Amino acid sequence: MPQENLRSRHGYAIPCRWDWQGEQQVVIVCHGFGSSKDSPMAQMVAAALPPLGMGVVRFDFPAHGDSPVWQEGLRVPFCIDDLETVEQAIWAQAPQTKIRYFASSFGAYITLLRLARDPRPDARAFLRAAAVTMPDLVDSWLDDRARADLDRQGYFVPDYDYVREMRVTRDFLQDLAQGNVFAQWRQDLAQLAMVHGTLDAVVPVAGPRRFAQTFGAALTELPQGEHPLMGEGEAQQVLDLAKAFFQTP
């Protein structure tokens, strides 16, 4: 699917891929931190849902994938705004379309904050390896080297093998400190389904378990699953769970 750009309200381009032919239901794919709209799972979703009568729209968060901005764009409010811009572009073409979300890790965190800001009780979000403890996760990266880099150059680079270099600034850290999903979420804001690996070392399952128990979300745990949930048979399990969730009347 060719890439198209939307205009962010902050002045940069939002790279998107539209696998949508006007279906009544469209799923927005929100990728994880350091990933992109072209991740293996995002591509699997884009292939799996259209045959079921659902469109798929994928986009890159700022400072990810093909985004033209770097650390200056990596702000939690900017990510939420960009997700809203994608929603508005869909509704501009078909106002009655039902928008759903397939959101992974950091993308799940942003999706929850977005829906908390503008609740839609009929919204459905499928959360894969949801980083509901994102502020604590990033805080754990702040070792002596990271703090020295923040002082010296204004950002640090987490020690992960991301698609492109991720630069974490003080502004982003402050955004996270204000974005506690446990404090902002309510059970009536949207319908949620979650899937998480019990061996996830990036986002330990205890956080998502607590979130699911607190807010009544359905959580499926894959017993050998690590953070990507791409082990043998796991990707298909994730897709099957998402399909069932989106197809439920």
Side-chain angles (χ1 to χ4, degrees):
M1 180 61 60
Q3 181 165 295
E4 302 177 11
N5 290 330
L6 296 177
R7 189 69 172 172
S8 164
R9 66 182 61 172
H10 302 284
Y12 50 78
I14 305 172
C16 302
R17 296 198 192 282
W18 296 72
D19 296 280
W20 178 47
Q21 306 299 322
E23 293 91 342
Q24 295 270 319
Q25 185 172 194
V26 60
V27 177
I28 300 177
V29 176
C30 299
H31 62 74
F33 192 80
S35 186
S36 81
K37 67 184 180 312
D38 296 316
S39 71
M41 180 55 75
Q43 293 186 57
M44 289 179 186
V45 172
L49 296 186
L52 302 178
M54 289 176 262
V56 176
V57 175
R58 299 175 273 154
F59 73 103
D60 285 324
F61 284 121
H64 289 75
D66 295 315
S67 171
V69 297
W70 285 84
Q71 67 270 20
E72 71 279 5
L74 184 55
R75 301 291 307 273
V76 170
F78 290 14
C79 293
I80 298 171
D81 288 346
D82 287 2
L83 176 52
E84 182 177 358
T85 296
V86 174
E87 295 169 353
Q88 291 173 341
I90 294 168
W91 280 321
Q93 296 186 42
Q96 302 305 313
T97 298
K98 294 180 179 179
I99 291 181
R100 312 304 192 196
Y101 306 85
F102 183 103
S104 299
S105 195
F106 174 70
Y109 170 76
I110 294 296
T111 299
L112 290 170
L113 292 177
R114 164 71 187 120
L115 291 172
R117 186 172 82 178
D118 183 18
R120 297 199 315 277
D122 65 336
R124 293 184 184 181
F126 183 85
L127 310 180
R128 165 181 169 258
V132 293
T133 55
M134 190 72 189
D136 293 335
L137 170 62
V138 176
D139 187 64
S140 72
W141 299 343
L142 277 171
D143 56 15
D144 290 343
R145 178 194 62 81
R147 295 181 191 278
D149 286 346
L150 274 174
D151 292 339
R152 177 175 57 85
Q153 62 190 14
Y155 66 85
F156 74 91
V157 178
D159 188 21
Y160 286 94
D161 186 21
Y162 291 127
V163 173
R164 63 186 265 188
E165 183 177 87
M166 299 303 301
R167 301 172 180 177
V168 175
T169 64
R170 293 190 189 279
D171 287 339
F172 184 65
L173 294 173
Q174 292 173 358
D175 292 342
L176 292 173
Q178 298 170 14
N180 184 332
V181 295
F182 284 88
Q184 297 187 34
W185 193 255
R186 299 193 318 271
Q187 187 168 346
D188 61 343
L189 295 181
Q191 301 174 54
L192 303 179
M194 305 172 68
V195 61
H196 213 94
T198 58
L199 301 184
D200 190 333
V202 177
V203 182
V205 71
R209 277 179 186 158
R210 180 163 62 93
F211 184 89
Q213 291 166 1
T214 301
F215 300 109
L219 171 63
T220 300
E221 296 185 23
L222 302 189
Q224 300 302 314
E226 299 181 357
H227 189 61
L229 291 177
M230 294 292 283
E232 184 176 358
E234 289 174 351
Q236 189 59 52
Q237 286 180 270
V238 170
L239 289 173
D240 289 344
L241 288 167
K243 290 177 192 176
F245 177 63
F246 293 136
Q247 289 182 300
T248 300

